[in-house]
mmCIF file of all heavy atoms in Angstrom:
data_model
loop_
_atom_site.group_PDB
_atom_site.id
_atom_site.type_symbol
_atom_site.label_atom_id
_atom_site.label_comp_id
_atom_site.label_asym_id
_atom_site.label_seq_id
_atom_site.Cartn_x
_atom_site.Cartn_y
_atom_site.Cartn_z
ATOM 1 N N ALA A 9 13.493 -6.348 22.746
ATOM 2 C CA ALA A 9 12.430 -7.341 22.909
ATOM 3 C C ALA A 9 11.661 -7.105 24.200
ATOM 4 O O ALA A 9 10.435 -7.269 24.252
ATOM 5 C CB ALA A 9 13.034 -8.748 22.902
ATOM 6 N N MET A 26 3.185 6.396 24.384
ATOM 7 C CA MET A 26 3.834 7.197 23.352
ATOM 8 C C MET A 26 5.190 6.584 23.016
ATOM 9 O O MET A 26 5.890 6.046 23.890
ATOM 10 C CB MET A 26 4.027 8.634 23.839
ATOM 11 C CG MET A 26 2.737 9.374 24.151
ATOM 12 S SD MET A 26 1.683 9.584 22.694
ATOM 13 C CE MET A 26 2.711 10.706 21.729
ATOM 14 N N ALA A 33 13.519 5.399 10.673
ATOM 15 C CA ALA A 33 12.154 5.512 10.150
ATOM 16 C C ALA A 33 12.179 6.339 8.864
ATOM 17 O O ALA A 33 12.397 7.546 8.892
ATOM 18 C CB ALA A 33 11.236 6.149 11.189
ATOM 19 N N ALA A 46 -1.211 -0.819 18.197
ATOM 20 C CA ALA A 46 -1.278 -2.281 18.294
ATOM 21 C C ALA A 46 0.107 -2.862 18.089
ATOM 22 O O ALA A 46 0.968 -2.271 17.424
ATOM 23 C CB ALA A 46 -2.258 -2.852 17.259
ATOM 24 N N PRO A 51 5.368 -11.484 15.833
ATOM 25 C CA PRO A 51 6.250 -10.298 15.788
ATOM 26 C C PRO A 51 7.335 -10.430 14.738
ATOM 27 O O PRO A 51 8.478 -10.717 15.033
ATOM 28 C CB PRO A 51 6.813 -10.249 17.212
ATOM 29 C CG PRO A 51 6.817 -11.672 17.652
ATOM 30 C CD PRO A 51 5.633 -12.318 17.024
ATOM 31 N N PRO A 79 13.130 12.711 23.109
ATOM 32 C CA PRO A 79 14.221 13.644 22.798
ATOM 33 C C PRO A 79 14.189 14.875 23.691
ATOM 34 O O PRO A 79 13.121 15.310 24.149
ATOM 35 C CB PRO A 79 13.952 14.006 21.328
ATOM 36 C CG PRO A 79 12.487 13.788 21.148
ATOM 37 C CD PRO A 79 12.134 12.620 22.022
ATOM 38 N N ALA A 86 20.797 31.972 21.729
ATOM 39 C CA ALA A 86 20.970 33.113 22.641
ATOM 40 C C ALA A 86 20.881 34.425 21.869
ATOM 41 O O ALA A 86 21.372 34.552 20.751
ATOM 42 C CB ALA A 86 22.305 33.011 23.358
ATOM 43 N N GLU A 100 32.347 69.027 11.222
ATOM 44 C CA GLU A 100 33.198 69.996 10.511
ATOM 45 C C GLU A 100 32.316 70.823 9.580
ATOM 46 O O GLU A 100 31.589 70.273 8.747
ATOM 47 C CB GLU A 100 34.256 69.255 9.700
ATOM 48 C CG GLU A 100 35.207 70.201 8.975
ATOM 49 C CD GLU A 100 36.239 69.434 8.182
ATOM 50 O OE1 GLU A 100 36.186 68.187 8.220
ATOM 51 O OE2 GLU A 100 37.069 70.075 7.530
ATOM 52 N N VAL A 111 26.403 77.505 -19.046
ATOM 53 C CA VAL A 111 25.441 77.701 -20.139
ATOM 54 C C VAL A 111 24.783 76.365 -20.430
ATOM 55 O O VAL A 111 25.447 75.345 -20.634
ATOM 56 C CB VAL A 111 26.146 78.239 -21.395
ATOM 57 C CG1 VAL A 111 25.135 78.414 -22.533
ATOM 58 C CG2 VAL A 111 26.829 79.558 -21.082
ATOM 59 N N GLN A 127 3.366 40.798 -20.806
ATOM 60 C CA GLN A 127 3.955 39.696 -20.062
ATOM 61 C C GLN A 127 2.912 38.633 -19.778
ATOM 62 O O GLN A 127 1.765 38.944 -19.452
ATOM 63 C CB GLN A 127 4.534 40.191 -18.730
ATOM 64 C CG GLN A 127 5.683 41.183 -18.907
ATOM 65 C CD GLN A 127 6.246 41.613 -17.568
ATOM 66 O OE1 GLN A 127 5.699 41.277 -16.539
ATOM 67 N NE2 GLN A 127 7.336 42.355 -17.599
ATOM 68 N N LYS A 136 -0.568 19.797 -5.077
ATOM 69 C CA LYS A 136 -0.058 18.496 -4.649
ATOM 70 C C LYS A 136 -1.226 17.569 -4.373
ATOM 71 O O LYS A 136 -2.228 17.965 -3.792
ATOM 72 C CB LYS A 136 0.787 18.651 -3.373
ATOM 73 C CG LYS A 136 2.031 19.494 -3.574
ATOM 74 C CD LYS A 136 2.842 19.540 -2.290
ATOM 75 C CE LYS A 136 4.110 20.365 -2.482
ATOM 76 N NZ LYS A 136 4.896 20.427 -1.230
ATOM 77 N N VAL A 146 -7.989 -6.269 5.686
ATOM 78 C CA VAL A 146 -8.885 -7.119 6.461
ATOM 79 C C VAL A 146 -9.235 -8.341 5.621
ATOM 80 O O VAL A 146 -9.628 -8.217 4.457
ATOM 81 C CB VAL A 146 -10.168 -6.367 6.870
ATOM 82 C CG1 VAL A 146 -11.124 -7.300 7.619
ATOM 83 C CG2 VAL A 146 -9.826 -5.167 7.733
ATOM 84 N N THR A 147 -9.088 -9.560 6.190
ATOM 85 C CA THR A 147 -9.388 -10.818 5.512
ATOM 86 C C THR A 147 -10.459 -11.559 6.295
ATOM 87 O O THR A 147 -10.287 -11.832 7.484
ATOM 88 C CB THR A 147 -8.130 -11.692 5.400
ATOM 89 O OG1 THR A 147 -7.097 -10.950 4.738
ATOM 90 C CG2 THR A 147 -8.422 -12.949 4.601
ATOM 91 N N TRP A 158 -20.243 -24.595 9.796
ATOM 92 C CA TRP A 158 -19.472 -23.480 9.236
ATOM 93 C C TRP A 158 -18.883 -22.654 10.374
ATOM 94 O O TRP A 158 -19.428 -22.590 11.464
ATOM 95 C CB TRP A 158 -20.344 -22.582 8.356
ATOM 96 C CG TRP A 158 -20.783 -23.236 7.077
ATOM 97 C CD1 TRP A 158 -21.805 -24.128 6.916
ATOM 98 C CD2 TRP A 158 -20.199 -23.063 5.791
ATOM 99 N NE1 TRP A 158 -21.906 -24.520 5.619
ATOM 100 C CE2 TRP A 158 -20.929 -23.880 4.890
ATOM 101 C CE3 TRP A 158 -19.152 -22.310 5.296
ATOM 102 C CZ2 TRP A 158 -20.637 -23.954 3.541
ATOM 103 C CZ3 TRP A 158 -18.855 -22.369 3.952
ATOM 104 C CH2 TRP A 158 -19.594 -23.193 3.083
ATOM 105 N N GLY A 165 -4.725 -7.260 8.899
ATOM 106 C CA GLY A 165 -3.284 -7.339 8.624
ATOM 107 C C GLY A 165 -2.811 -8.748 8.916
ATOM 108 O O GLY A 165 -3.263 -9.727 8.315
ATOM 109 N N ALA A 181 -25.587 -19.184 3.619
ATOM 110 C CA ALA A 181 -26.272 -19.197 2.328
ATOM 111 C C ALA A 181 -26.816 -17.818 1.982
ATOM 112 O O ALA A 181 -26.729 -17.362 0.837
ATOM 113 C CB ALA A 181 -27.400 -20.227 2.360
ATOM 114 N N ASN A 200 -25.780 -28.307 -0.381
ATOM 115 C CA ASN A 200 -26.546 -29.430 -0.934
ATOM 116 C C ASN A 200 -25.909 -30.763 -0.554
ATOM 117 O O ASN A 200 -26.605 -31.735 -0.232
ATOM 118 C CB ASN A 200 -26.662 -29.307 -2.443
ATOM 119 C CG ASN A 200 -27.594 -28.167 -2.850
ATOM 120 O OD1 ASN A 200 -28.465 -27.761 -2.075
ATOM 121 N ND2 ASN A 200 -27.424 -27.644 -4.062
ATOM 122 N N ARG A 209 -28.250 -39.949 6.635
ATOM 123 C CA ARG A 209 -28.126 -40.341 8.038
ATOM 124 C C ARG A 209 -29.490 -40.511 8.683
ATOM 125 O O ARG A 209 -29.719 -41.424 9.492
ATOM 126 C CB ARG A 209 -27.326 -39.276 8.790
ATOM 127 C CG ARG A 209 -27.039 -39.645 10.233
ATOM 128 C CD ARG A 209 -26.232 -38.567 10.908
ATOM 129 N NE ARG A 209 -25.988 -38.896 12.309
ATOM 130 C CZ ARG A 209 -25.378 -38.085 13.167
ATOM 131 N NH1 ARG A 209 -24.944 -36.893 12.768
ATOM 132 N NH2 ARG A 209 -25.203 -38.465 14.424
ATOM 133 N N GLN A 212 -30.904 -43.757 7.550
ATOM 134 C CA GLN A 212 -30.255 -44.862 8.250
ATOM 135 C C GLN A 212 -30.796 -45.014 9.672
ATOM 136 O O GLN A 212 -31.084 -46.118 10.140
ATOM 137 C CB GLN A 212 -28.741 -44.652 8.276
ATOM 138 C CG GLN A 212 -27.973 -45.761 8.977
ATOM 139 C CD GLN A 212 -26.481 -45.479 9.030
ATOM 140 O OE1 GLN A 212 -26.040 -44.448 8.520
ATOM 141 N NE2 GLN A 212 -25.736 -46.390 9.617
ATOM 142 N N ALA A 219 -36.112 -51.348 12.764
ATOM 143 C CA ALA A 219 -35.621 -52.682 13.099
ATOM 144 C C ALA A 219 -35.686 -52.914 14.603
ATOM 145 O O ALA A 219 -36.054 -54.006 15.072
ATOM 146 C CB ALA A 219 -34.195 -52.862 12.581
#
Side-chain angles (χ1 to χ4, degrees):
M26 298 297 293
E100 182 180 0
V111 179
Q127 297 182 353
K136 297 183 179 179
V146 177
T147 304
W158 291 80
N200 289 336
R209 185 179 178 185
Q212 180 182 359

